């Protein structure tokens, strides 16, 4: 059992949770995730470790409500317990000093780019952050990112905050301004990652994406999370979750992520009706 | 009363009913049946059956107690060498082990040793009798067991009985290994595994779930925090795929995923449980072992109209236990023999809809002595499917080993051990079960766990390594 030390709802349906998990707090590195099962009948879902505090023995997660499992977690209060948390899982991000790095987050994906942005900064890079949200009510982590980025840009689809448009528009702008970019990290909806990686491929800019495939165990035992990278099958949970974006088969990723959409809808509606 | 001569059949759920539920198929002997079966035993002086059992259960002695209706004594006798009788009685391939070596097997049917073992364990647990716990002299020496499959559970039990302070670390949220995530409820009810785990806890064994050793904590950390020896029972947890075109289409599962969703996550109770699974009307399971039988029989229970086995050799070569094949046949599983998949074909949304298969014929025997399947040119054909499960085997789970180069592995990725106790190339670390042998059986994993417990005790007492 893992106690919730803090729970804040930030942005629309995004929950910031600080949870007591000393073993995980000690070992976690940027890019790694945990698998959570919040109650006895629950499913196992992966969530990225956004921050950790080894002294406090705590980890911080940002969870966006998109279906039943995340909605149930959202209902938990400070002092409540989460039944199971396993981790840290996946490979830590490979973060080196390369020069100028652009990190691009879409929605809750910003919770994943944030710790890596910080690590890139600590490694001595020049950091340009781009954060994209549907509208201002989904905005998260702006202040935190401001502290670690040399330049920070925010886009919203409807223009309700920052620049109107998509993160890809902003990236193109930066590239055409003549800025030399050495590495791009992109985390968000698969379609966004695909669009970004199509742009950077053209300019031969090394690009890393974190793949959000469906997982069960998260330890390499089931193969639910398989993705295609460079024409080869990989398990996102143990071989990733980060891969060279130019090698990723995004269309397969998107299809596989929607495999249970019917069942998920049923489950979520039933849950909302009972609530 | 005339002595019974015939082997007593196992009562089972009616086929019509059982293929629509996940309840246990074999109902178990009644007391009357158990007594009739037990009295067939000749109580041989030089009992050959004992040698057939990998942990040498004292078979004639426990059966004698059954005849005398002293079930608790029978259970104690079994538990002298086998700490998980309710499980072994259900899932051991007895026809290749104890029962194969029963003297009665020559002229007629061997004693149903497994069924009696199960009866004894169930009888005691259903009675009011409280199994008294053995007196344990605590040693205050910490030992870690990684993995809670049958190997880890058996090793932990023996170490606890020897007085060690044992902690099991398990990656998943429930202890039991394949017993909870792989073998279906209809063959091994999960409450039975829970019962055995509870017993371990009563012996003082601590169980830490959600700890992925190698990720959450390393072996070095464990030694540094005071553990004196470590047993690795990691299992063969990495599913094999075939590297065929279309293998990542939607609704194509590894057997591990299909069975984990079903057993560990209880997808058959969706939406009461949150984990979904694709049920499918035409389900093809590729492979012919026990795992394939478990998957295909699960698919029937999910309501498949065609639950199919795709196997590249013939019925004779099926590696699954005969009993499981018979059960599958009786339940209406369709067997496609001498066919091999070449490719999976999907619809526009990416869901699998057909398998391209090729017919095979049997050629010369290969190294394993089984006749090798040879493709017949030009025999390709298409089979309509909506769910596919790939059950062609598992290899070593690499999560821990990848970060522990001190532990040598053989060319199959399994841990290399240097003596009968499972000593590895890393001092203080023992290993056993599927991670050493490759996929084997519950009782073999248990046997090796017990052997390692012995080795660990010796090592801690003497400090001697290789
Ligand atoms: C490595 C990794 C890190 C992630 N980190 C975060 C994070 O920090 N914050 C966050 O809010 N979300 C994160 N996610 C996504 C999160 O796991 C899903 O949103 C969550 O599982 C949805 O569950 P649900 O029941 O609420 O929704 P559902 O209605 O079940 O599903 C909604 C969508 O989520 C995806 N999904 C469903 N089940 C799973 C599953 N078992 N595993 C993975 N994806 C699934 C599917 O694409 C599905 O269409 C991460 C995913 C991965 C793979
Ligand atoms: C579907 C199926 C049906 C079977 N049917 C039968 C049968 O009828 N009869 C029979 O005798 N045998 C059967 N077997 C084989 C039998 O189950 C195995 O041989 C046996 O379970 C092996 O035991 P084990 O202790 O070595 O490991 P496992 O049972 O595989 O358990 C290993 C455990 O270690 C954990 N683990 C792995 N890595 C780590 C880590 N780094 N940190 C923490 N924990 C870790 C895993 O999560 C797992 O729980 C079947 C197998 C399968 C898959
Ligand atoms: S443990 Fe298995 S092999 Fe040994 S006697 Fe019992 S059923 Fe037979
Ligand atoms: S060999 Fe058969 S008959 Fe003889 S003791 Fe063993 S089980 Fe009984
Ligand atoms: S989630 Fe099971 S192998 Fe990756």
């Amino acid at each position: 059992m893992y106690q919730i030390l803090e729970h804040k709802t930030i942005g629309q349906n995004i929950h910031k949770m600080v949870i007591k998990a000393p073993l995980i707090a000690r070992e976690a590195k940027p890019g790694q995730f945990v698998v959570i099962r919040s109650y006895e009948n629950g499913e196992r879902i992966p969530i990225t470790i956004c921050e950790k505090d080894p002294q406090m023995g705590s980890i911080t997660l940002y969870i966006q409500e998109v279906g039943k499992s995340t909605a149930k977690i959202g209902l938990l209060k400070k002092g409540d317990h989460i039944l199971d948390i396993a981790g840290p899982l996946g490979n830590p991000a490979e973060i080196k000093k390369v020069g100028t790095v652009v990190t691009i987050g879409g929605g809750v994906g910003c919770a994943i780019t944030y710790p890596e942005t910080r690590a890139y900064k600590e490694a001595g890079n020049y950091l340009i952050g781009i954060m994209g949200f549907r509208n201002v009510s989904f905005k998260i982590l702006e202040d935190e990112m401001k502290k670690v980025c040399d330049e920070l840009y925010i886009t919203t689809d409807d223009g309700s905050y920052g620049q109107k448009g998509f993160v890809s528009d902003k990236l193109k702008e930066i590239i055409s301004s003549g800025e030399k970019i050495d590495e791009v990290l992109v985390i968000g909806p698969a379609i966004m990652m695909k669009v970004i990686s199509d742009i950077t491929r053209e300019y031969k800019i090394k690009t890393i994406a974190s793949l959000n495939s469906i997982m069960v165990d998260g330890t390499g035992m089931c193969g639910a999370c398989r993705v295609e990278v460079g024409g080869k099958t990989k398990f996102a949970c143990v071989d990733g979750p980060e891969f060279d974006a130019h090698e990723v088969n995004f269309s397969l990723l998107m299809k596989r992520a929607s495999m249970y959409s019917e069942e998920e809808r049923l489950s979520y509606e039933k849950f909302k009706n009972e609530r | 009363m005339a002595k019974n001569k015939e082997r007593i059949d196992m009562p089972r759920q009616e086929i019509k009913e059982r293929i629509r539920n996940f309840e246990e198929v074999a109902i178990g002997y009644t007391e009357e049946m158990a007594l009739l079966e037990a009295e067939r035993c000749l109580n041989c002086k030089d009992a050959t059956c004992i040698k057939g059992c990998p942990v040498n259960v004292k078979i004639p002695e426990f059966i004698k107690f059954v005849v005398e209706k002293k079930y608790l004594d029978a259970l104690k006798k079994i538990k002298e060498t086998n700490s998980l009788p309710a499980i072994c009685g259900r899932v051991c391939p007895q026809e290749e082990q104890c029962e194969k070596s029963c003297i009665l097997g020559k002229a007629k049917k061997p004693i149903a040793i497994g069924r009696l073992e199960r009866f004894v364990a169930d009888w005691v647990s259903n009675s009011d009798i409280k199994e008294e716990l053995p007196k344990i002299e605590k040693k205050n020496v910490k030992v870690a067991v990684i993995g809670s499959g049958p190997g880890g559970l058996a090793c932990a039990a023996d170490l606890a009985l020897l007085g060690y302070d044992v902690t099991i670390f398990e990656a998943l949220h429930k202890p039991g290994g394949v017993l909870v995530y792989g073998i279906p409820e209809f063959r091994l009810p999960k409450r039975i595994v829970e019962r055995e785990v509870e017993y371990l806890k009563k012996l003082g064994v601590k169980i830490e779930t959600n700890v992925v050793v190698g990720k959450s904590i390393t072996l070095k950390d464990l030694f540094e925090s005071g553990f004196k020896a470590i047993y690795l029972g990691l299992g063969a947890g990495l599913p094999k795929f075939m590297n065929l075109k279309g293998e990542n289409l939607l609704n194509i599962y590894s057997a591990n995923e299909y069975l984990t969703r079903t057993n560990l996550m209880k997808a058959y109770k969706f939406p009461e449980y949150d984990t979904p699974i694709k049920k499918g009307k035409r389900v093809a399971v590729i492979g012919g072992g026990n795992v394939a039988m478990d998957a295909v029989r699960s698919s029937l229970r999910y309501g498949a109209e065609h639950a199919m086995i795709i196997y590249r050799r013939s019925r004779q070569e099926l590696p699954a236990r005969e009993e499981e094949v018979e059960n599958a046949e009786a339940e209406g599983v369709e067997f496609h023999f001498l066919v091999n998949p070449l490719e999976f074909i999907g619809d526009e949304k990416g869901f699998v809809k057909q398998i391209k298969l090729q017919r095979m014929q049997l050629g010369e025997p290969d190294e394993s002595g089984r006749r090798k399947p040879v493709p017949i040119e030009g025999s390709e054909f298409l089979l309509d499917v909506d769910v596919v499960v790939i059950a062609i085997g598992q290899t070593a789970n690499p999560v821990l080993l990848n970060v522990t180069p001190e532990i040598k592995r053989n060319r199959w990725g399994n841990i290399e051990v240097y003596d009968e106790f499972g000593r590895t190339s890393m001092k203080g670390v023992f290993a056993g079960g599927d991670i050493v042998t490759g996929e084997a059986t519950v009782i073999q994993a248990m046997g090796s766990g017990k052997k390692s417990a012995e080795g660990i005790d010796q090592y801690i007492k003497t400090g001697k390594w290789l």
Side-chain angles (χ1 to χ4, degrees):
Chain A
M1 299 281 265
Y2 301 80
Q3 198 183 21
I4 298 172
L5 303 175
E6 207 184 306
H7 178 182
K8 261 195 238 147
T9 307
I10 53 162
Q12 191 153 326
N13 280 338
I14 296 183
H15 304 270
K16 175 185 179 184
M17 291 197 160
V18 182
I19 300 166
K20 184 123 189 139
L23 265 191
I24 304 174
R26 204 181 63 173
E27 293 293 324
K29 298 188 183 62
Q32 291 189 298
F33 61 92
V34 287
V35 165
I36 295 190
R37 192 178 72 123
S38 69
Y39 74 119
E40 186 50 40
N41 294 9
E43 53 177 339
R44 295 171 62 99
I45 63 164
I47 299 290
T48 304
I49 305 162
C50 181
E51 287 173 80
K52 61 163 183 176
D53 184 337
Q55 266 79 48
M56 284 282 293
S58 67
I59 55 173
T60 303
L61 310 177
Y62 285 79
I63 301 170
Q64 181 174 29
E65 179 175 331
V66 293
K68 178 171 175 189
S69 303
T70 44
K72 271 207 87 115
I73 296 173
L75 291 177
L76 296 173
K77 296 186 190 66
K78 178 176 171 175
D80 286 349
H81 289 82
I82 287 181
L83 191 54
D84 297 297
I85 305 185
L89 300 169
N91 296 314
E94 271 183 48
I95 287 172
K96 291 197 201 84
K97 179 165 184 192
V98 290
T100 298
V101 178
V102 179
T103 65
I104 306 174
V108 77
C110 295
I112 315 177
T113 52
Y114 167 58
E116 296 192 41
T117 308
R118 204 173 49 196
Y120 271 118
K121 184 71 207 167
E122 282 161 10
N125 294 288
Y126 185 81
L127 259 297
I128 303 175
I130 309 177
M131 303 165 86
F133 303 102
R134 220 178 304 164
N135 62 53
V136 63
S137 68
F138 287 92
K139 182 170 70 71
I140 54 168
L141 287 164
E142 182 182 5
D143 295 340
E144 286 84 346
M145 281 290 280
K146 243 189 203 140
K147 283 188 205 137
V148 292
C149 287
D150 296 284
E151 300 170 36
L152 180 65
Y153 303 98
I154 296 180
T155 65
T156 46
D157 298 2
D158 63 355
S160 55
Y161 193 83
Q163 188 172 331
K164 182 172 187 314
F166 299 119
V167 286
S168 49
D169 302 331
K170 189 71 220 177
L171 177 67
K172 275 193 220 154
E173 239 175 68
I174 296 172
I175 294 175
S176 37
S177 78
E179 180 83 53
K180 184 184 162 295
I181 302 170
D182 298 288
E183 201 164 303
V184 170
L185 170 74
V186 56
I187 303 173
I191 182 70
M192 179 192 114
M193 297 194 282
K194 181 178 181 333
V195 169
I196 295 291
S197 98
D198 286 344
I199 297 172
T200 57
R201 185 183 290 112
E202 218 175 294
Y203 295 93
K204 299 200 172 54
I205 304 170
K206 180 178 171 191
T207 302
I208 295 155
S210 181
L211 305 189
N212 49 342
S213 54
I214 293 181
M215 297 186 178
V216 182
D217 60 308
T219 69
M221 183 270 274
C222 76
C225 62
R226 48 200 209 279
V227 291
E228 271 172 30
V229 182
K232 292 212 175 66
T233 295
K234 301 271 177 194
F235 287 5
C237 70
V238 286
D239 300 323
E242 300 195 347
F243 295 96
D244 177 348
H246 297 155
E247 301 275 313
V248 172
N249 181 344
F250 282 106
S251 108
L252 179 74
L253 180 72
M254 285 183 258
K255 282 185 187 148
R256 286 189 62 90
S258 68
M259 176 161 158
Y260 296 103
S261 47
E262 233 173 89
E263 289 82 358
E264 284 154 359
R265 194 177 40 78
L266 189 122
S267 189
Y268 198 20
E269 310 252 288
K270 184 166 172 286
F271 171 72
K272 283 193 280 195
N273 289 337
E274 285 164 7
R275 202 153 96 190
Chain B
M1 195 172 80
K3 269 209 166 186
N4 168 54
K5 293 269 158 51
E6 296 301 314
R7 180 173 156 117
I8 304 292
D9 258 345
M10 180 59 118
R12 290 162 218 246
Q13 264 197 77
E14 285 298 332
I15 292 173
K16 270 204 323 287
E17 276 160 33
R18 78 188 197 216
I19 60 169
R20 291 293 174 246
N21 68 50
F22 276 83
E23 312 287 306
E24 191 169 20
V25 166
I27 296 167
Y29 277 169
T30 58
E31 183 172 7
E32 201 184 354
M33 291 169 168
L35 288 170
L36 283 173
E37 182 64 23
E39 67 179 25
R40 290 173 62 224
C41 173
L42 305 177
N43 223 315
C44 309
K45 277 260 137 22
D46 181 22
T48 46
C49 52
I50 299 180
K51 294 188 198 92
C53 166
V55 296
N56 308 120
V57 167
K58 293 173 184 149
I59 296 165
E61 294 173 56
F62 101 73
I63 295 184
K64 188 150 177 290
F65 281 128
V66 174
V67 174
E68 295 163 2
K69 298 194 187 177
K70 293 181 179 157
Y71 305 125
L72 185 61
D73 292 320
L75 184 66
K76 282 190 195 149
K77 188 51 75 185
I78 300 169
K79 283 207 170 173
E80 284 177 16
T81 58
N82 174 0
S83 43
L84 309 171
I87 295 170
C88 293
R90 287 173 164 84
V91 304
C92 265
Q94 292 103 8
E95 68 282 1
E96 288 167 23
Q97 299 178 345
C98 52
E99 293 179 17
K100 188 182 184 185
S101 311
C102 168
I103 195 94
L104 284 179
K106 295 220 171 76
K108 46 185 138 206
K109 293 250 170 102
I111 298 288
I113 300 167
R115 294 171 186 172
L116 288 174
E117 205 167 297
R118 164 187 170 160
F119 167 79
V120 167
D122 288 358
W123 193 93
V124 173
S125 104
N126 294 336
S127 72
D128 303 328
I129 302 174
K130 285 257 179 309
E131 239 185 286
E132 61 204 273
L133 290 174
K135 292 241 172 329
I136 300 175
E137 237 175 89
K138 297 256 191 262
K139 280 196 175 52
N140 211 3
V141 177
K142 294 204 300 180
V143 180
V145 169
I146 321 297
S148 61
L153 294 179
C155 184
D158 280 16
L159 287 168
L161 289 170
L162 288 168
Y164 290 98
D165 178 1
V166 186
T167 308
I168 299 182
F169 295 94
E170 166 57 50
L172 295 172
H173 59 262
K174 275 215 172 70
V178 170
L179 306 177
V180 292
Y181 80 71
I183 304 181
E185 182 79 15
F186 58 81
R187 284 211 293 128
L188 178 63
K190 300 308 149 223
R191 66 187 148 77
I192 297 203
V193 183
E194 279 159 24
R195 197 165 85 195
E196 301 297 352
V197 170
E198 282 312 309
Y199 177 75
L200 273 195
K201 287 190 188 157
K202 283 193 204 138
L203 292 180
V205 173
K206 292 172 222 134
I207 304 183
E208 302 271 352
T209 49
N210 298 317
V211 181
V212 188
V213 181
K215 289 282 185 189
S216 318
I217 195 165
T218 62
L219 295 187
K220 212 171 130 241
D221 295 336
L222 288 173
F223 280 126
E224 276 167 12
S225 63
F227 288 95
K228 294 291 176 232
I230 299 176
Y231 173 80
L232 303 179
L234 309 174
L238 184 72
K240 279 195 217 160
F241 285 93
M242 288 181 290
N243 294 320
L244 293 180
K245 193 166 165 215
E247 201 165 19
N248 295 330
L249 286 166
L250 283 60
N251 289 12
I252 301 186
Y253 292 99
S254 74
N256 272 3
E257 183 186 352
Y258 191 75
L259 292 169
T260 299
R261 282 182 183 273
T262 303
N263 301 313
L264 183 69
M265 306 311 296
K266 307 236 178 306
Y268 62 92
K269 293 190 182 162
F270 179 87
E272 181 195 336
Y273 280 71
D274 293 344
T275 304
I277 197 165
K278 292 294 183 177
K279 295 187 170 164
K281 293 285 169 217
R282 299 183 56 89
V283 181
V285 176
I286 296 163
N290 287 320
V291 181
M293 296 307 140
D294 283 344
V296 80
R297 294 176 66 201
S298 298
S299 80
L300 268 180
R301 286 156 174 79
Y302 279 121
E305 283 155 16
H306 297 273
M308 302 173 273
I309 285 282
I310 307 288
Y311 183 55
R312 62 199 179 117
R313 305 185 208 231
S314 69
R315 189 183 189 292
Q316 226 184 330
E317 289 83 20
L318 276 177
R321 288 182 64 188
E322 181 58 27
E323 185 183 332
E324 298 310 323
V325 178
E326 280 168 15
N327 275 329
E329 282 172 338
E331 290 171 5
V333 169
E334 299 163 23
F335 286 81
H336 295 262
F337 292 116
L338 290 165
V339 286
N340 200 33
L342 295 178
E343 182 186 339
F344 300 98
I345 298 160
D347 64 16
E348 56 305 328
K349 284 190 180 152
F351 286 90
V352 66
K353 65 170 190 190
Q354 283 176 320
I355 314 180
K356 186 195 262 182
L357 294 167
Q358 182 172 42
R359 295 202 190 280
M360 312 292 275
Q361 60 193 11
L362 290 180
E364 296 298 308
D366 62 12
E367 317 89 69
S368 69
R370 289 183 307 174
R371 292 178 64 193
K372 216 171 138 160
V374 186
I376 302 174
E377 291 306 321
S379 66
E380 295 83 359
F381 66 102
L382 296 172
L383 180 73
D384 288 343
V385 293
D386 53 12
V387 168
V388 173
V389 180
I390 298 174
I392 58 164
Q394 287 100 245
T395 54
N397 191 323
V399 171
L400 169 61
L401 299 177
N402 283 350
V403 297
T404 320
E406 296 90 331
I407 296 178
K408 289 217 182 78
R409 293 190 260 175
N410 64 20
R411 63 191 166 108
W412 297 281
N414 295 326
I415 296 179
E416 193 79 58
V417 297
Y418 298 94
D419 66 9
E420 56 179 322
F421 301 109
R423 277 183 168 76
T424 68
S425 54
M426 185 174 180
K427 190 172 177 198
V429 180
F430 294 72
D434 283 6
I435 191 69
V436 170
T437 54
E439 286 170 89
T441 62
V442 170
I443 189 69
Q444 277 169 315
M446 267 190 53
S448 77
K450 293 175 79 70
K451 212 61 203 157
S452 289
E454 217 182 304
I456 288 171
D457 184 42
Q458 258 180 30
Y459 165 64
I460 288 177
K461 282 185 181 145
T462 63
K464 266 200 213 119
W465 197 242
L466 291 172

